[in-house]
Amino acid sequence: MKTEKNRAVLGVVIGLAVLFAIGIIVLTAVLFGFGYKTYGNGVKFLGRSVGNEPVSGTAYYQIGTAKFNKENRTLKYDNGDVYVGEIKDLVPHGKGKMTYSSGDVYDGDFASGVREGTGTILYASGDTYSGEWKRGLRDGHGIYTFS
């Protein structure tokens, strides 16, 4: 009988310890803004937020991830690409600069994560294109210069 009583007490103690640990995790998440959010564009975010705005953490895309830092306005992708500039819903949107792991560097307008508007790209080969972009592709007026 004493053994059964000891087991019951041990079960209660373990249960309380688990509840305490869960409470600490929830309290930490609330106080320090850790959380998970899915955006309308399908991007998922896990990290620190203030209010409803992400501050730092990891963005999960259909084809990879990126480390996000709001203070530096950066997205560092797992494939080696680095974006610095305006960001909306954790994708490049507005003015920015993307340095690709291939060595190409684009400086210009983005919309919903792709080159859109006007901008200049310096290819790793030394060639440049400065002009209009649509859906990530050169489109419209522009000047292409061979190295």
Side-chain angles (χ1 to χ4, degrees):
M1 274 222 186
K2 223 175 192 184
T3 305
E4 289 177 24
K5 201 175 202 182
N6 288 344
R7 284 186 192 157
V9 169
L10 182 61
V12 169
V13 169
I14 290 172
L16 289 173
V18 168
L19 287 175
F20 179 75
I22 290 170
I24 292 296
I25 291 169
V26 169
L27 182 61
T28 301
V30 169
L31 290 177
F32 297 105
F34 290 101
Y36 177 82
K37 180 177 179 178
T38 300
Y39 290 84
N41 59 7
V43 176
K44 295 171 179 35
F45 175 74
L46 179 62
R48 193 166 70 84
S49 299
V50 173
N52 203 24
E53 290 296 314
V55 175
S56 64
T58 303
Y60 295 87
Y61 307 95
Q62 289 181 340
I63 57 170
T65 65
K67 297 295 181 192
F68 169 72
N69 184 303
K70 181 178 180 176
E71 184 178 334
N72 300 331
R73 299 181 341 150
T74 58
L75 288 164
K76 294 183 179 180
Y77 296 89
D78 59 358
N79 68 356
D81 296 349
V82 177
Y83 173 80
V84 179
E86 296 174 6
I87 298 169
K88 180 181 177 187
D89 294 341
L90 296 173
V91 295
H93 192 86
K95 300 283 185 193
K97 181 177 181 179
M98 179 76 82
T99 303
Y100 298 93
S101 60
S102 65
D104 298 347
V105 179
Y106 172 81
D107 193 353
D109 299 328
F110 288 85
S112 301
V114 297
R115 296 179 294 233
E116 182 84 23
T118 59
T120 300
I121 190 163
L122 170 62
Y123 294 100
S125 66
D127 294 357
T128 61
Y129 171 78
S130 185
E132 298 174 354
W133 296 82
K134 191 164 187 127
R135 292 186 214 114
L137 303 173
R138 297 186 308 257
D139 186 59
H141 294 84
I143 299 172
Y144 193 101
T145 307
F146 295 93
S147 58

